[in-house]
């Protein structure tokens, strides 16, 4: 870890702030993620975790602070730009189009095109379908009928599609907001395995999870948020489940 | 389980509709003379004359056209003509064209039509004419209404009031009612309708011809009384000494009358109502309007059928390219005379 | 896959019920209506529905994107007025194709402006489409009447009416087929034996239908239209340039309305600000009967074609049967509600 620390962080945020009306959802947060590092982002409901990662993925424009990606300051004005720079996000609400099939969702916004009728460019469905199959196979996920709309799929299958979408595009930074919430135990394992794989490939990961066991299983470091503020940051070896819980709920003296 | 019930309900509904449709379709069509080869060329069976005639009215549910249809029907029975009356549910050239095409498909011999637009209906009626159907204009015309020299010559005749004349007569009576001088205002329906355009024109000519009478404006109300009322209210604001209003049809006069009554000017501002449905007569009796100008739609319908028969008999000399039906001016003084009573448009 | 029966049945049914309904209507009217099932009449239905259908094409895209465009009727009117003014302003002696192209270019160009404004306001200022296009409904209407001075503008140009009313082929028993014009030398009564094949408005509509179908089904723009209608927020997060797409959607809708206006010019040799007034609701009805959801995300061009044909067949058939045309409104209304019921039943069985 120490050698990596000396490198540039893959992602650095400084003083990031977001307000919704009178509510400060994210309040002056600093955070770094290094290459090949998995950072667990935890906190009680409403602590501001999702809002924080949505600023990094370009959904929200910060009201204050800066975002650096591999040392470069970036001002993500849109998710499109964040994705172009290699930030892939699995959102807590999945952000899928329920009326479209799995394939279309995986490629949404970056559809491969083929020539059709000479000069017109058509969406290359065949290519998309083959690629979707292969990424799902890679993740060891089985969805029997990829041409069915998402609406007709189970919660687990939907989450799998959202994961597949993020994984497909060789991310430079992977953000996962509660990626295992809708999954059964075997699928949860697969996701944790996926995080390990990404780490081996030197892709940094931010993972938000309610399940502290999962966080202990995959994270190198945890960042704890409470009421919009970052209240603690611990290497995973130096903390315990009890400590993290008390940091999250704020009932302990440890925080001060 | 609810959901399943719902889906069966819809299935049942569709089945029911399908059954109703097929049940309707089951008995052979009444005129079952099989004409498989060329349905449109097949002779249509009609009355004694063997003539099938379509009367395409301007719009459904209008007492004027109902009276015209009545006149046509009475004459058709007398002469043994098979008459089909139809018309669009709203005054719209696109919808009327669909009816014209359906009549072509039905293979009628003659079509009398109150065209919804003098320009837009030329091509559809040309098409009917090309299909061998004799065209007669009733009430409204196409092109400029001059079927001898005009740009459009294929219709055999234009049977209708002379609306310029009608506008003149109306405003002559209106000017007399306001004492020979003052300000007049015209409430018109929709621009582009030949009849009301001409009534406006006739009224304007009369106003120009009389010294001391001034036209303060013309507004178009889309054939909508409440719009006419709004516009008239505004004009009454602008012209407090307005003398009279010419409403080019019932809706226009109605709306104008309402605005006048809201302003407390009933009887002060005189209103002439072009057209004479029963409600206009009621308005006349209630002092809401002061003059009612009646056309003779019953006569139009009758002449149209007579001309259809003449045309089919090849007696073209008996057909005048322009047949002017007259007017009756109804006032509170003459409303109970037989002549006035006969001129009122009856809605059934 | 065994497939549970009612769900499978409902899904199939919801896909084909409109076809079946149309088929039932055609069979019914063919059996009962004199002259309904004739080449002339069926083509006339096609030609008469062309304007409505073209207007409904753009509306289909907008409705799939969970929007609505209430301004199309008067955008059509405005375009028809602009087209008429441009064509009549050309010096006499201008070749007919040039006149027609001028009308097309000017009508389309003027018609696209309200679409651009609609799209920009909806996309950038986030005003609901219903409100923006209702505003544009009034603006386009007023502009059309102002431009035309309140009067319909006749376009009495020799030959123009043939473009909107002619046929691609003519068949005359003794001379066979001729292209574009009735066989030479056939006049007067003989003209009545000439059969027209493929009315131009129908051909024009078919071409536009194919183009719209391709665009919706195979282009990136079409896929994004579905995505925006399915979940606009998800579309944004996936990186779709939703604002740009929205502007394009409303321009497409205005564009097809304008093309309808230019076709009106040619078919009725007229330009009128209110020419599309009666068509707006029918065109939305066609889209809905065709299976599009007003909540967005669902719909097809083929569905819209079927929807428009159902409306046109009802209107034509009832006239042929001599049934009071006010029943048209009732019949079309019933079909709209039926369409939505079928859709809901499908959703509920699916979930
Ligand atoms: N779009 C929004 N508009 C207004 N308030 C929001 C919005 N998104 C989140 N919030 C509020 O911001 C706070 C942080 O929310 P969130 O980031 O979703 O928390 P977490 O993901 O940690 O549960 C909550 O109080 C939430 O209600
Ligand atoms: Mg959250």
């Amino acid at each position: 870890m120490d050698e990596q620390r000396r490198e540039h962080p893959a992602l650095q945020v400084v003083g990031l702030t977001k307000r919704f009306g009178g509510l400060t959802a994210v309040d002056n947060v600093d955070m770094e993620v290094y290459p090949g590092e998995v950072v667990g982002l935890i906190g009680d409901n409403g602590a501001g975790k999702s809002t924080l990662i949505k600023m990094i993925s370009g959904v929200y424009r910060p009201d204050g602070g800066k975002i650096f990606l591999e040392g470069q300051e970036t001002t993500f004005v849109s998710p499109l730009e964040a994705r172009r720079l290699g930030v892939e996000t699995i959102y807590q609400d999945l952000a899928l189009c329920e009326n479209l099939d799995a394939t279309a969702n995986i490629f949404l916004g970056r559809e491969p095109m083929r020539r059709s009728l000479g000069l017109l460019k058509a969406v290359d469905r065949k290519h998309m379908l083959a690629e979707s199959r292969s990424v799902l196979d890679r993740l060891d996920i089985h969805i029997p009928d990829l041409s069915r709309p998402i609406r007709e799929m189970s919660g687990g299958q939907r989450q799998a599609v959202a994961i597949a979408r993020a994984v497909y595009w060789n991310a430079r930074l992977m953000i996962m907001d509660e990626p295992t919430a809708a999954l059964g135990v075997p699928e949860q394992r697969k996701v944790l395995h996926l995080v390990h794989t990404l780490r081996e490939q030197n892709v940094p990961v931010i993972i938000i999870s309610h399940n502290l066991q999962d966080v202990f299983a995959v994270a190198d470091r945890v960042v704890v948020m409470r009421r919009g503020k970052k209240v603690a940051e611990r290497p995973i070896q130096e903390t315990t489940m009890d400590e993290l819980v008390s940091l999250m709920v704020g009932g302990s003296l440890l925080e001060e | 389980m609810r959901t399943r019930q719902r889906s069966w309900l819809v299935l049942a509904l569709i089945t029911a509709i399908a059954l109703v449709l097929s049940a309707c379709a089951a008995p052979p069509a009444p005129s079952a003379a099989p004409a498989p080869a060329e349905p449109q060329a097949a002779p249509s069976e009609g009355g004694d004359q063997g003539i099938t005639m379509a009367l395409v009215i301007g719009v459904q549910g209008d007492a004027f056209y109902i009276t015209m249809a009545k006149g046509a029907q009475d004459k058709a029975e007398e002469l043994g003509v098979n008459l089909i009356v139809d018309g669009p549910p709203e005054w719209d050239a696109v919808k009327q064209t669909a009816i014209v095409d359906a009549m072509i498909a039905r293979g009628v011999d003659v079509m009398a039509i109150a065209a919804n637009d003098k320009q837009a209906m030329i091509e559809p009626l040309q098409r009917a004419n090309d299909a061998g159907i004799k065209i007669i204009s009733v009430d409204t015309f196409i092109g400029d209404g001059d079927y001898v020299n005009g740009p459009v010559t294929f219709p055999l005749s234009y049977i209708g009031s002379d609306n310029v004349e009608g506008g003149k007569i109306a405003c002559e009576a209106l000017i007399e009612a306001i004492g020979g001088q003052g300000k007049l205002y015209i409430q018109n329906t929709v621009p582009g309708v030949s009849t009301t355009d001409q009534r406006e024109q006739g009224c304007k000519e009369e106003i120009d011809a009389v010294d001391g009478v001034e036209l303060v404006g013309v507004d178009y109300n889309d054939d909508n009384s409440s719009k006419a009322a709004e516009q008239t209210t505004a004009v009454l604001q602008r012209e407090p000494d307005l003398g009279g209003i010419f409403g080019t049809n019932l809706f226009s006069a109605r709306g104008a009358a309402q605005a006048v009554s809201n302003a407390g000017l009933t009887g002060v501002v005189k209103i002439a109502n072009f057209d004479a449905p029963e409600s206009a007569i009621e308005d006349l009796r209630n002092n809401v309007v002061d003059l009612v100008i009646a056309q003779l739609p019953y006569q139009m319908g009758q002449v149209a059928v007579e001309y259809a028969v003449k045309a089919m008999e090849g007696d073209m000399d008996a057909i005048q390219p322009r047949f002017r039906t007259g007017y009756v001016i109804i006032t509170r003084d003459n409303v109970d005379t037989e002549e006035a009573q006969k001129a009122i448009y009856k809605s059934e | 896959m065994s497939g549970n029966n009612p769900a499978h049945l409902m899904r199939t049914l919801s896909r084909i019920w409109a076809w079946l309904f149309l088929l039932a209507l055609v069979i019914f009217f063919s059996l009962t209506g004199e002259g309904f099932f004739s080449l002339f009449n069926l083509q006339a239905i096609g030609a008469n529905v062309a304007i409505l259908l073209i207007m409904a094409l753009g509306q289909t895209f907008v409705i799939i994107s969970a929007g609505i465009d209430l301004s199309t009727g008067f955008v059509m009117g405005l375009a028809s007025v602009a087209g008429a003014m441009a064509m009549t302003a050309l010096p006499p002696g201008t070749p007919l194709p040039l006149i027609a192209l001028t009308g097309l270019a000017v009508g389309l160009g003027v018609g696209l402006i309200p679409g651009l404004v609609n799209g920009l306001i909806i996309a950038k200022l986030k005003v609901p489409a219903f409100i923006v296009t209702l505003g544009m409904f009034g603006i386009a209407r007023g502009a059309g009447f102002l431009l035309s001075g309140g009067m319909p503008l006749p376009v009495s140009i020799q030959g123009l009416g043939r473009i909107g009313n002619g046929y691609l082929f003519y068949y005359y028993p003794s001379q066979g087929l001729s292209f574009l014009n009735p066989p030479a030398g056939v006049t007067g009564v003989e003209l009545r034996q000439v059969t027209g094949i493929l009315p131009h408005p129908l051909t024009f509509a078919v071409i536009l239908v194919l183009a719209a179908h391709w665009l919706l089904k195979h282009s990136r723009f079409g896929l994004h239209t579905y995505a925006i209608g399915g979940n606009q927020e998800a579309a944004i997060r996936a990186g779709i340039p939703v604002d740009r797409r929205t502007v394009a959607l409303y321009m497409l809708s205005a564009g097809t309305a304008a093309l309808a206006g230019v076709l009106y010019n040619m078919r009725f040799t007229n330009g009128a600000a209110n020419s599309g007034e009666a068509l707006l609701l029918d065109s939305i009805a066609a889209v809905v009967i065709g299976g599009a959801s007003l909540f967005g995300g669902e719909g097809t061009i083929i569905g819209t074609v079927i929807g428009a044909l159902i409306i046109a067949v009802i209107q034509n058939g009832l006239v042929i049967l001599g049934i009071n045309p006010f029943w048209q409104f009732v019949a079309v209304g019933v079909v709209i509600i039926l369409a939505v019921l079928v859709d809901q039943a499908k959703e509920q069985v699916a979930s």
Side-chain angles (χ1 to χ4, degrees):
Chain A
M1 276 307 123
D2 272 343
E3 315 146 57
Q4 285 183 4
R5 293 264 158 165
R6 265 175 260 121
E7 306 172 25
H8 277 306
L11 169 80
Q12 182 180 22
V13 303
V14 182
L16 221 48
T17 301
K18 179 74 192 173
R19 294 184 204 94
F20 294 115
L23 172 83
T24 306
V26 173
D27 190 357
N28 205 13
V29 170
D30 299 339
M31 184 170 89
E32 301 86 36
V33 185
Y34 289 86
E37 187 188 26
V38 178
V39 172
L41 181 58
I42 61 174
D44 204 358
N45 267 338
K49 308 179 294 289
S50 294
T51 306
L52 174 63
I53 62 102
K54 280 182 184 168
M55 285 189 278
I56 299 168
S57 64
V59 175
Y60 294 146
R61 196 187 288 255
D63 292 318
K66 288 181 173 142
I67 300 171
F68 300 89
L69 207 61
E70 287 173 356
Q72 295 277 79
E73 182 173 353
T74 44
T75 49
F76 295 151
V77 290
S78 70
L80 177 62
E81 203 185 330
R83 292 191 79 188
R84 278 207 191 113
L85 290 171
V87 178
E88 285 297 330
T89 310
I90 300 162
Y91 293 99
Q92 187 170 11
D93 60 12
L94 304 183
L96 296 171
C97 290
E98 304 243 311
N99 57 328
L100 298 179
D101 60 21
T103 306
N105 269 287
I106 290 172
F107 284 89
L108 204 57
R110 302 170 162 194
E111 302 80 7
M113 305 303 282
R114 66 182 164 81
R115 296 251 159 235
S116 149
L117 309 170
L119 66 164
L120 297 167
K121 281 201 293 182
V123 173
D124 192 346
R125 300 246 177 201
K126 243 166 129 183
H127 180 69
M128 279 164 56
L129 189 63
E131 290 291 290
S132 303
R133 281 242 168 74
S134 91
V135 67
L136 288 166
D137 283 350
R138 191 141 48 88
L139 292 170
D140 199 15
I141 294 168
H142 301 286
I143 295 177
D145 186 357
L146 287 179
S147 63
R148 268 168 57 192
I150 295 285
R151 188 192 311 117
E152 294 173 16
M153 293 184 178
S154 70
Q157 287 175 328
R158 292 173 196 212
Q159 193 138 30
V161 172
I163 293 169
R165 167 162 72 185
V167 170
Y168 181 78
W169 304 100
N170 304 318
R172 281 160 75 197
L173 168 66
M174 174 70 77
I175 300 174
M176 301 174 153
D177 194 348
E178 303 279 4
T180 57
L183 299 182
V185 176
E187 285 79 17
Q188 288 185 9
R189 286 227 184 83
K190 286 175 194 165
V191 173
L192 297 183
H193 179 73
L194 167 69
V195 176
H196 279 300
T197 313
L198 289 167
R199 185 167 176 245
E200 276 157 25
Q201 293 165 351
N202 220 27
V203 176
V205 178
I206 300 175
I207 180 166
I208 299 175
S209 181
H210 266 100
N211 186 335
L212 289 182
Q213 254 152 7
D214 285 358
V215 174
F216 271 92
V218 295
D220 299 308
R221 198 153 49 89
V222 277
V223 169
V224 187
M225 287 184 71
R226 196 169 80 233
R227 294 201 196 127
K229 292 198 170 72
K230 182 169 103 176
V231 291
E233 187 172 349
R234 299 274 187 280
I236 201 79
Q237 301 92 333
E238 297 171 17
T239 186
T240 63
M241 200 108 41
D242 288 341
E243 185 195 26
L244 292 182
V245 171
S246 57
L247 284 168
M248 280 162 60
V249 299
S252 162
L253 296 170
L254 284 166
E255 62 176 293
E256 242 66 271
Chain B
M1 279 308 97
R2 273 193 53 104
T3 65
R4 189 167 292 189
Q5 272 176 14
R6 188 84 73 95
S7 68
W8 287 116
L9 186 83
V10 172
L11 272 178
L13 223 116
I14 293 173
T15 320
I17 290 179
L19 281 177
V20 169
L21 284 179
S22 51
C24 294
S31 55
E38 277 182 286
Q40 38 164 327
S44 345
E45 44 280 276
D48 309 337
Q49 299 268 356
I51 298 173
T52 301
M53 172 181 182
L55 172 61
V56 180
I57 57 177
V59 67
Q60 292 283 342
D62 185 300
F64 178 90
Y65 289 118
I66 291 169
T67 308
M68 177 192 289
K70 184 121 199 328
Q73 198 66 60
D74 289 351
K75 187 55 89 181
E77 266 162 37
E78 183 189 323
L79 299 180
V81 169
N82 178 26
L83 181 74
I84 306 163
V85 180
D86 211 328
E90 44 199 325
W91 190 274
D92 182 79
V94 178
K95 299 215 155 157
Q96 201 179 37
T97 297
I99 292 177
V100 168
D101 281 337
M103 290 301 173
I104 301 174
R106 280 182 82 166
V108 300
D109 302 306
V110 184
M111 186 185 312
I113 181 167
N116 276 181
D117 189 293
K118 60 188 170 195
Q119 179 70 25
M121 293 310 296
I122 295 176
E123 286 289 343
L125 290 175
Q126 176 74 57
R127 188 154 61 233
N129 186 65
D130 289 349
I133 298 171
K134 298 188 165 53
I135 308 296
I136 296 171
S137 285
V138 279
D139 179 38
T140 60
F141 58 79
I142 55 175
D144 65 359
D146 179 350
Y147 296 154
V148 179
N149 311 307
V152 177
T153 54
F154 64 82
L156 302 181
S157 176
Y158 166 35
I159 303 160
S161 317
D162 182 332
N163 281 286
V164 178
E165 186 62 28
K168 248 187 197 149
I169 293 175
C171 288
E172 193 185 303
L174 186 58
I175 290 168
E176 195 189 310
I178 64 171
Q181 60 174 10
K183 292 180 175 174
L184 292 187
Y185 166 60
I186 301 176
Q187 256 297 327
N188 203 346
T189 58
V190 186
V193 182
S194 63
T195 51
T196 47
D197 283 353
Q198 290 181 327
R199 289 171 204 164
E200 176 187 323
Q201 185 199 333
C203 179
K204 281 177 171 167
E205 283 173 12
E206 183 64 25
I207 291 171
D208 284 346
V210 180
D211 280 342
V213 181
E214 179 198 348
L215 178 66
V216 299
V218 182
D219 280 313
Y220 298 96
N221 56 43
D222 273 348
D223 223 2
N224 179 321
S225 289
S226 66
K227 217 165 152 185
E230 273 168 40
Q231 292 167 342
T232 306
T233 302
V235 169
L236 288 171
Q237 287 295 317
R238 199 181 68 209
E239 310 283 350
D241 55 344
L242 191 70
I245 303 172
F246 174 39
T248 61
N249 74 351
L250 176 71
F251 297 120
S252 310
R254 259 283 169 76
Q258 196 191 340
V260 166
S261 121
N262 287 349
L265 293 170
T266 304
V268 179
V269 178
K270 304 284 183 198
I271 298 169
N273 180 1
F274 205 100
D275 280 336
E278 284 150 331
S279 57
I281 301 305
E282 213 169 292
D283 288 349
L284 181 71
R285 291 189 196 277
N286 296 333
N287 295 321
V288 176
V289 301
D290 305 280
L291 293 165
V292 173
I293 295 89
Q295 306 182 67
L296 302 172
Y298 189 89
Q299 189 192 2
M300 290 177 201
Q302 287 196 311
V303 175
V305 175
E306 274 167 19
Y307 274 17
V309 172
K310 293 268 189 284
M312 292 309 288
E313 287 169 350
D315 184 4
M316 294 303 176
D317 292 341
I319 299 174
Q320 302 170 28
R322 178 73 176 97
F323 187 101
R324 289 183 175 76
T325 47
Y327 290 96
V328 175
I329 293 194
I330 307 175
T331 62
R332 277 184 283 280
D333 298 330
N334 75 353
V335 63
D336 290 316
T337 63
E338 200 195 328
E339 190 199 15
Q341 283 297 315
K342 261 179 69 184
I344 296 167
Y345 315 163
K346 305 286 193 314
S347 56
E348 32 58 68
Chain C
M1 294 221 305
S2 58
N4 68 42
N5 237 336
H8 189 70
L9 191 64
M10 264 329 282
R11 211 175 304 135
T12 317
L13 190 73
S14 77
R15 214 174 308 129
I16 60 167
W17 82 274
W19 283 99
L20 291 178
F21 193 83
L22 178 61
L23 192 70
L25 283 175
V26 169
I27 292 174
F28 171 64
F29 286 127
S30 299
L31 290 175
T32 55
E34 191 183 338
F36 177 85
F37 198 78
S38 63
L39 184 62
F40 173 84
N41 194 49
L42 296 180
Q43 294 195 116
I45 292 175
N48 285 331
V49 80
I51 293 178
L52 167 73
L53 176 57
I54 290 169
M55 196 175 188
L57 292 177
Q59 188 75 260
T60 306
F61 281 80
V62 168
I63 287 179
I64 289 173
S65 80
I68 186 98
D69 190 347
L70 298 178
S71 66
T72 52
F74 286 110
V75 168
M76 169 182 158
L78 176 62
S80 83
V81 167
M85 289 176 80
M87 288 189 282
T88 45
L90 290 175
T94 311
L96 189 61
L98 191 62
I99 295 177
L101 282 178
T102 306
L104 180 72
V106 173
L108 188 59
V110 169
L112 283 173
I113 298 170
L116 177 67
V117 175
N118 280 339
L120 285 175
I121 295 177
I122 293 164
K124 302 291 181 194
L125 305 180
K126 313 290 176 209
V127 184
F130 185 89
I131 305 294
V132 176
T133 59
L134 186 63
M136 191 53 74
F137 170 103
I139 295 168
R141 178 189 213 171
F145 278 118
L146 286 171
L147 209 57
S148 63
M151 305 289 273
L153 303 174
V155 193
S156 331
I157 294 167
Q158 188 65 39
L160 195 76
R162 291 287 91 193
I163 300 178
N165 295 274
Y167 292 81
L168 200 56
F169 303 103
Y170 292 85
Y171 176 74
Y172 186 59
S174 63
Q175 295 188 16
L177 277 183
S178 65
F179 184 61
L180 280 181
N181 286 303
V186 180
T187 49
V189 187
E190 297 167 336
L191 214 45
R192 283 161 198 177
Q193 291 172 33
V194 175
T195 310
I197 297 168
L198 271 182
H200 295 326
L202 183 59
T203 312
F204 190 46
V206 167
I207 292 170
L208 289 177
V209 162
L210 291 177
H213 175 76
W214 188 90
L215 194 66
L216 185 59
K217 192 90 200 260
H218 296 292
S219 77
R220 182 178 270 167
F221 175 74
L223 182 59
H224 290 180
T225 302
Y226 282 107
I228 292 169
N231 184 343
Q232 175 159 346
E233 178 61 26
I236 293 171
R237 290 198 214 158
I240 293 175
V242 171
D243 287 0
R244 239 173 49 214
R245 294 284 184 260
T246 302
V247 173
L249 278 164
Y250 285 88
M251 287 185 74
L252 179 67
S253 171
T256 59
L259 289 176
V262 175
L263 180 56
Y264 180 88
N265 281 157
M266 317 267 173
R267 192 158 170 77
F268 295 98
T269 56
N270 206 2
N274 58 354
S275 56
E277 188 172 8
L279 300 180
L280 168 68
L281 289 183
D282 277 352
S283 71
I284 292 177
V287 178
V288 172
I289 293 171
S293 159
L294 286 174
F295 298 110
E298 305 289 335
T300 59
I301 292 296
I302 302 307
T304 296
V305 172
I306 303 290
L309 284 177
I310 286 177
I311 293 174
V313 166
I314 288 176
Q315 287 178 352
N316 176 278
L318 292 187
V319 173
I320 296 236
L321 290 188
I323 294 172
N324 185 330
F326 288 120
W327 283 105
Q328 288 171 16
F329 297 129
V330 176
V332 172
V334 168
V335 180
I336 292 175
I337 293 174
L338 196 64
V340 175
L341 273 180
V342 170
D343 200 53
Q344 280 187 356
K346 177 192 69 171
E347 303 276 294
Q348 289 186 340
V349 172
S351 64

